[in-house]
Amino acid sequence: MTTAVLREMRWWDIEPVLELEKDLFPEDAWSRGMFWSDLAHARGPGATRRYVVAEIPSDSGGGARIVGYGGLAAAGDVGDVQTIAVAREHWGTGLGAQILTELLRAATAFECAEVMLECRVDNVRAQKLYERFGFEAIGFRRGYYQPGNVDALVMRLNDPSTSVQGTEING
């Protein structure tokens, strides 16, 4: 399988990201406006967001195809993983870990002392990824994911800089 390359997400990536979002999260997909809003805070000296996309060369030979994405928001000394998604055909390849590593590097650059996230209680694959990076479950948010009324597991990582030491990513 071709290795994905990470790069900063830009406004022109929103449409292909939305296609992947709707495929992976049909009931509670983010809207175009949600991505636009976060990307508006991802550049410049006052940036508080870091969004990346993972690309592979297109099967048709022209350009690249987005097969994953992720985003982090920082507020004070707390980072929050907003979203991570990987195309189904790339599950189990380490791409999720690659994206999470980049988000934790961003949290370190934003000087976050801890990173929080919510994960669907039925998404065991994601929970195992987060646990490998040192995240610990600290609570639940009942009915967090709508309209399916699915609970969220709240997880926290203390000192994100220790989770990314010695890791390498492409891009």
Side-chain angles (χ1 to χ4, degrees):
M1 184 158 289
T2 305
T3 301
V5 175
L6 297 186
R7 66 167 174 79
E8 177 185 10
M9 183 175 170
R10 300 299 304 273
W11 65 266
W12 52 81
D13 297 316
I14 291 175
E15 291 307 316
V17 163
L18 279 174
E19 288 178 28
L20 193 51
E21 177 83 3
K22 289 173 186 171
D23 177 54
L24 295 169
F25 311 110
E27 286 189 0
D28 50 13
W30 277 32
S31 68
R32 182 176 289 104
M34 291 169 77
F35 282 108
W36 271 105
S37 178
D38 269 13
L39 288 182
H41 300 283
R43 302 199 91 206
T48 58
R49 307 286 192 276
R50 172 75 168 144
Y51 275 74
V52 296
V53 293
E55 292 182 321
I56 61 169
S58 175
D59 294 337
S60 61
R65 185 169 61 93
I66 293 175
V67 294
Y69 56 91
L72 175 109
D77 66 348
V78 178
D80 190 78
V81 174
Q82 301 288 292
T83 185
I84 292 180
V86 173
R88 294 176 206 281
E89 68 269 18
H90 290 270
W91 287 1
T93 66
L95 183 53
Q98 189 179 350
I99 293 169
L100 182 56
T101 296
E102 179 59 22
L103 297 182
L104 294 177
R105 283 188 177 152
T108 301
F110 284 131
E111 299 180 351
C112 296
E114 64 181 9
V115 176
M116 307 289 292
L117 61 81
E118 292 87 17
C119 180
R120 289 176 63 108
V121 294
D122 57 0
N123 191 345
V124 177
R125 176 188 300 275
Q127 290 170 35
K128 287 183 179 185
L129 169 67
Y130 301 138
E131 288 168 356
R132 279 197 346 248
F133 276 76
F135 281 85
E136 296 178 339
I138 61 168
F140 293 93
R141 295 206 173 147
R142 302 285 178 214
Y144 183 79
Y145 293 99
Q146 294 297 327
N149 202 35
V150 177
D151 295 343
L153 179 64
V154 179
M155 301 182 84
R156 177 179 58 212
L157 172 67
N158 292 313
D159 193 5
S161 66
T162 62
S163 291
V164 296
Q165 291 176 350
T167 59
E168 292 295 325
I169 64 164
N170 297 319

